[in-house]
Amino acid sequence: MSAPAGRKTWQAVQAAVRARISRRDWKPGALIPHEAELAQEFGCSRGTVNRALRGLAEDGLLERRRRAGTRVALNPQRRAAFAIPLIRDEIEGKGQQFAARILTREMRRPPPDVQARLRVAGAAPILWLETLYTADGAPYVFEARWINTHAVPRALDADFTVISPNEWLVREVPFDSGDFTVSAMAADGRSAAVLGCAEGAGLLVLDRRTQHGAQIITSVRLVFHPGYRMHTRS
Amino acid sequence: MSAPAGRKTWQAVQAAVRARISRRDWKPGALIPHEAELAQEFGCSRGTVNRALRGLAEDGLLERRRRAGTRVALNPQRRAAFAIPLIRDEIEGKGQQFAARILTREMRRPPPDVQARLRVAGAAPILWLETLYTADGAPYVFEARWINTHAVPRALDADFTVISPNEWLVREVPFDSGDFTVSAMAADGRSAAVLGCAEGAGLLVLDRRTQHGAQIITSVRLVFHPGYRMHTRS
DNA sequence: ATCATGTTTATGTATGCACATAATAGCGAG
DNA sequence: CTCGCTATTATGTGCATACATAAACATGAT
């Protein structure tokens, strides 16, 4: 859009509103003019203003309610989007050599907490994989994964030395949602040995669960090398 | 919208497309029909389809490019939105008693890494605060904060025993953006003492930086009690 | 074959209009 | 005064239309 003099695109309106909020022309909690009014002021249609404000509301900067109008959020920044690392890309993106080594692959009966997490009944053995990912040979992240082979029997025939479990699953298995949890742990003997770090080091842990409908496909725990950081990409 | 028989709302279209993707009617990497075609199929206008697909693209489920069309993302779930805890709400939301205690409040010269992080020149002392937040008296999170008093001189007069530094800043100081980093550390002597945990425990660390224009207002480090978890809220 | 150019096409955005919906405000009956 | 209905109003959504823009594609010159 070539931005003719007075005419505003929704991005321009959004930027203008953002500026007013951050300049405190409109203070937290205050009601701002309604869409029609802003449309007139900015010389654009109400649709354009709506688009701009909707985006700001999604970012948590505004709170909108029908009939009640739009007000500046009292407490912005309730959420932050973190980039979920795609191990291979992350390592190769730094110009380092990516490698994956499977440490364990066996059928194992999930402990009770994993049974709950995977929503599998009883203790029938399912596929258990441990993989170490390295960057230029240095341990980068240790992955421990359960694959619900009741839901994905084909996983039993996959050759994970050729394609990583994650890449195989993404490519082969339908899924529709998932959830993440971030926590921290002190390196125990095993983690320290695998990651080649001191026992007791602080390690960032990312648990990810992937599901298709009501069924849980897989549950992974990524334990990162000491010093690893995740940050907002926005 | 009362959803008359054939007529679809953008949410309905979005759900239908989501279903096709997760059912793998449209496989990862595949091109999907263009907007006009889908509009005809769903019996709605192109605008409605556009709205639906735009949302899915924002979620990372689709990749869209002008002229090239829309295809199913090869690797979805590149990002996840985490709820950034508002300590007081989080604790009170669990029905526990919130309390904050200021452990340190002094002018201090920032070490070089903090100087860089705050983009302040030289080593002129700025405000340094340490606060412990408790839930039912149990240590919950330990906050260490630098406030750039060159940018916010008023902070020198604020009484943070009445209002927490975070709440004061949110209410009093304009800002427009920020960034977050998540990492892990092993509890050192001081953290262990303050949080009442064993030395060497794995602790989740959240660093947050808040800025207004080019100026950094404040930089906070939150060190959570052992076992704390952050999870996606989406 | 390579490169520059123009053409085509799918998405991106703006507009005006209409109506749906939620929620407040106001009114009247009891 | 309270309860419940109605009117009002700001946002939410849908549609048809028009034009902008990016990128793939085709064409033609060198």
Side-chain angles (χ1 to χ4, degrees):
Chain A
M1 228 88 312
S2 49
R7 226 10 152 259
K8 300 254 187 181
T9 66
W10 70 264
Q11 288 97 334
V13 174
Q14 192 171 78
V17 171
R18 257 211 165 86
R20 288 188 192 179
I21 293 171
S22 92
R23 264 204 320 268
R24 309 228 137 186
D25 292 348
W26 294 331
K27 301 199 169 37
L31 206 59
I32 76 172
H34 60 254
E35 294 183 348
E37 206 165 322
L38 290 174
Q40 191 175 6
E41 178 188 341
F42 289 120
C44 65
S45 74
R46 186 168 78 87
T48 302
V49 173
N50 182 284
R51 179 88 160 83
L53 299 187
R54 192 201 316 145
L56 294 172
E58 273 163 17
D59 290 354
L61 221 62
L62 293 177
E63 279 168 16
R64 325 191 68 199
R65 270 164 56 222
R66 279 178 171 158
R67 156 80 208 198
T70 301
R71 52 185 67 242
V72 180
L74 272 174
N75 206 314
Q77 224 146 16
R78 306 177 109 77
R79 66 193 47 170
F82 286 86
I84 293 303
L86 233 181
I87 314 286
R88 179 189 214 107
D89 293 353
E90 185 165 289
I91 291 173
E92 291 178 345
K94 286 191 268 196
Q96 298 186 294
Q97 182 68 37
F98 167 87
R101 186 155 51 92
I102 296 192
L103 306 181
T104 312
R105 184 206 164 115
E106 63 183 41
M107 298 304 283
R108 181 187 280 204
R109 19 179 59 187
D113 61 317
V114 175
Q115 285 176 37
R117 197 167 157 72
L118 285 173
R119 298 197 202 124
V120 291
I126 59 174
L127 188 55
W128 164 255
L129 283 164
E130 288 182 325
T131 314
L132 177 67
Y133 297 93
T134 57
D136 283 348
Y140 192 83
V141 57
F142 174 44
E143 173 186 293
R145 182 189 293 267
W146 294 93
I147 298 181
N148 182 353
T149 37
H150 305 125
V152 197
R154 290 193 346 270
L156 294 170
D157 305 320
D159 181 359
F160 295 127
T161 58
V162 180
I163 180 171
S164 83
N166 187 51
E167 288 172 278
W168 186 86
L169 285 162
V170 168
R171 190 179 313 166
E172 299 292 329
V173 183
F175 66 96
D176 48 33
S177 61
D179 64 292
F180 298 81
T181 305
V182 180
S183 57
M185 66 179 270
D188 53 21
R190 172 116 167 94
S191 324
V194 171
L195 287 171
C197 67
E199 217 167 306
L203 304 176
L204 190 66
V205 178
L206 178 68
D207 287 286
R208 180 194 319 203
R209 199 161 56 153
T210 302
Q211 56 192 80
H212 179 56
Q215 255 182 338
I216 309 288
I217 303 296
T218 186
S219 172
V220 207
R221 160 163 291 197
L222 296 176
V223 181
F224 291 89
H225 69 271
Y228 182 84
R229 303 161 147 266
M230 252 177 63
H231 61 277
T232 47
R233 181 91 193 129
S234 162
Chain B
M1 234 77 323
S2 49
R7 222 16 148 257
K8 301 255 186 179
T9 66
W10 70 265
Q11 289 96 334
V13 173
Q14 193 171 78
V17 171
R18 257 210 166 86
R20 287 188 192 180
I21 293 171
S22 91
R23 266 205 317 271
R24 309 229 138 188
D25 291 349
W26 294 332
K27 300 199 170 37
L31 205 61
I32 76 173
H34 60 255
E35 294 183 347
E37 205 165 323
L38 290 173
Q40 189 173 6
E41 178 189 340
F42 289 120
C44 63
S45 75
R46 185 169 79 87
T48 303
V49 173
N50 182 283
R51 179 87 158 82
L53 298 188
R54 193 202 315 144
L56 294 173
E58 274 165 16
D59 290 354
L61 221 60
L62 293 177
E63 279 168 13
R64 325 192 68 197
R65 267 163 59 222
R66 278 178 172 156
R67 156 79 209 199
T70 301
R71 51 184 69 241
V72 180
L74 271 175
N75 207 315
Q77 226 144 15
R78 306 174 110 78
R79 65 192 49 172
F82 286 85
I84 294 302
L86 235 182
I87 314 286
R88 178 187 216 109
D89 293 355
E90 185 165 288
I91 291 173
E92 290 178 345
K94 287 191 267 198
Q96 297 186 294
Q97 183 66 36
F98 167 87
R101 187 155 50 91
I102 295 192
L103 306 181
T104 313
R105 182 202 167 119
E106 62 183 42
M107 297 304 282
R108 181 186 281 204
R109 20 180 59 187
D113 62 316
V114 174
Q115 285 176 37
R117 197 169 156 71
L118 285 173
R119 297 196 201 123
V120 292
I126 59 174
L127 188 54
W128 163 255
L129 285 163
E130 288 180 325
T131 314
L132 177 68
Y133 297 93
T134 57
D136 283 348
Y140 191 85
V141 57
F142 174 45
E143 173 185 294
R145 182 188 294 268
W146 295 95
I147 297 180
N148 183 354
T149 37
H150 303 125
V152 197
R154 292 195 343 272
L156 293 169
D157 306 319
D159 181 359
F160 295 127
T161 59
V162 181
I163 180 172
S164 82
N166 187 53
E167 288 172 279
W168 185 85
L169 285 163
V170 167
R171 192 179 312 166
E172 299 292 328
V173 183
F175 67 95
D176 49 31
S177 61
D179 64 293
F180 298 81
T181 305
V182 180
S183 57
M185 65 177 271
D188 53 21
R190 173 119 168 92
S191 323
V194 171
L195 286 171
C197 66
E199 216 166 307
L203 304 176
L204 190 66
V205 178
L206 179 67
D207 286 286
R208 179 193 320 202
R209 199 161 57 153
T210 302
Q211 57 193 81
H212 182 208
Q215 256 183 336
I216 309 286
I217 302 296
T218 184
S219 173
V220 207
R221 162 164 290 199
L222 297 175
V223 181
F224 291 91
H225 69 271
Y228 181 85
R229 304 162 144 267
M230 250 177 65
H231 61 277
T232 47
R233 180 90 193 130
S234 160

